[in-house]
Amino acid sequence: MEERRRIGAYGVCRDGERVLLVRGSATADFPGVWQLPGGGLDHAEHPEAAVVREFAEETGLTVAVAGLRDAVADVTRYPDLEVALHTDRIIFDVTPTAGTLRDEVDRTSDLAAWFTPAEAAGLPLLPFTAELLGLPVDPLPARTARAPFGPAPTDRRQRFAAYGLVTDPAGRVLLTMIAEGYPGAGKWHLPGGGTDHGEQPAAGLLRELVEEAGQLGRVVELLAVDNLHNPAALGPEGRPLDWHGVRVIYRVLVDAPTEAVVTELAGGSTARAAWFLPEQVNGLRLTDVAALATGRRGR
């Protein structure tokens, strides 16, 4: 079965105790099943812009992003197409600022409505929506096969990755150096990287932490989502590649730190790893995402 991926942005919008949901239309993967408003990112689109756009399309409401709630992943299988689609879902808290609630017409949703938790518990819900609302996850009904997506273009890539602002009880920060031959070579970077097909973002980060620095950590909170678009990146074939990266950043604590050592599983992209006191970070050459997470300028 061919493995494909996409990235989506979704929003939790509340009116008192009620939450806004949309229902899958006859053309959706799961007709009649409800979910949080949202959908796939366009190429180069920031997840925050995507959730605002999707809300306007699906509900008629203009919303503002109020916070980052979660990042989860799931896999939908299309047996007739022999495709397994992994979707990384970034969920925001949003607040309505304008517009009038209305249903979407001739698209993948056909109803938009407010529900109390008790009312939502009686609806067929997509698993990620049920989990976000703290409700039981029920098996999904049979799905109709469709093909709204194709293989990724050879000259365009979208990549989801999870990184960590990793500290120890002494307040030291763990950073990894990018190896020669990779973009940003010689700069200090956050531990982390691209997640595997079927892997949850937080789990992927903790795996990368072991591979790149030999540390066992625990995720404390989700800090931020970062968007990177490089329309002329150098691809693996040596020709320009329109690159879109979406990166979630977690705060991670290593309770029992050890000497930072790169393992063989790191795949060659990490040259070394080291612990730094906060005042030492300003003197380092940092990647943009490392500078963002640490709040340091680097050089």
Side-chain angles (χ1 to χ4, degrees):
M1 183 168 284
E2 181 184 353
E3 295 180 348
R4 298 184 190 172
R5 297 188 67 155
R6 74 167 183 170
I7 305 171
Y10 304 83
V12 178
C13 184
R14 296 189 180 275
D15 175 24
E17 68 169 355
R18 299 188 303 169
V19 65
L20 184 59
L21 301 175
V22 294
R23 187 180 70 177
S25 69
T27 60
D29 286 336
F30 300 99
V33 179
W34 295 79
Q35 67 168 52
L36 297 174
L41 272 61
D42 292 336
H43 189 75
E45 186 177 35
H46 194 291
E48 290 189 9
V51 75
V52 171
R53 173 181 55 79
E54 288 283 348
F55 258 81
E57 293 174 359
E58 295 182 345
T59 71
L61 298 179
T62 300
V63 298
V65 173
L68 179 60
R69 176 177 285 258
D70 207 349
V72 297
D74 53 65
V75 177
T76 301
R77 289 174 172 78
Y78 299 79
D80 296 343
L81 305 174
E82 297 186 349
V83 168
L85 178 64
H86 170 120
T87 302
D88 292 293
R89 305 182 192 269
I90 302 169
I91 297 97
F92 298 93
D93 289 311
V94 302
T95 56
T97 59
T100 301
L101 185 64
R102 53 106 178 115
D103 301 326
E104 191 175 27
V105 179
D106 297 328
R107 297 291 294 273
T108 55
S109 69
D110 60 8
L111 281 179
W114 298 97
F115 296 94
T116 65
E119 292 168 338
L123 300 174
L125 299 171
L126 282 185
F128 87 96
T129 296
E131 289 185 24
L132 260 294
L133 298 179
L135 298 173
V137 177
D138 295 323
L140 286 168
R143 173 185 35 78
T144 57
R146 66 179 179 94
F149 51 85
T154 57
D155 61 347
R156 177 180 288 185
R157 288 287 188 277
Q158 194 175 65
R159 178 179 184 259
F160 179 87
Y163 290 92
L165 175 58
V166 181
T167 59
D168 70 359
R172 296 184 302 170
V173 179
L174 179 68
L175 297 174
T176 58
M177 179 179 284
I178 301 174
E180 290 297 322
Y182 292 86
K187 291 186 176 182
W188 289 96
H189 195 29
L190 296 179
T195 58
D196 293 338
H197 194 275
E199 188 174 47
Q200 293 293 334
L205 167 58
L206 295 181
R207 171 184 54 79
E208 291 276 354
L209 183 59
V210 172
E211 295 175 2
E212 294 182 344
Q215 307 296 309
L216 296 177
R218 57 184 175 91
V219 170
V220 177
E221 63 178 320
L222 180 58
L223 293 176
V225 57
D226 180 59
N227 193 69
L228 172 66
H229 179 223
N230 185 349
L234 188 64
E237 297 84 9
R239 64 173 186 269
L241 181 69
D242 189 348
W243 181 265
H244 179 206
V246 175
R247 307 175 289 196
V248 291
I249 305 170
Y250 292 90
R251 185 184 301 278
V252 178
L253 181 62
V254 174
D255 294 298
T258 59
E259 180 184 358
V261 177
V262 180
T263 73
E264 294 180 357
L265 297 177
S269 62
T270 302
R272 51 184 293 217
W275 291 99
F276 295 93
L277 294 172
E279 58 268 24
Q280 295 175 309
V281 176
N282 275 342
L284 303 175
R285 293 180 61 221
L286 300 175
T287 62
D288 58 345
V289 71
L292 170 69
T294 61
R296 306 281 172 160
R297 296 187 308 273
R299 60 178 178 85

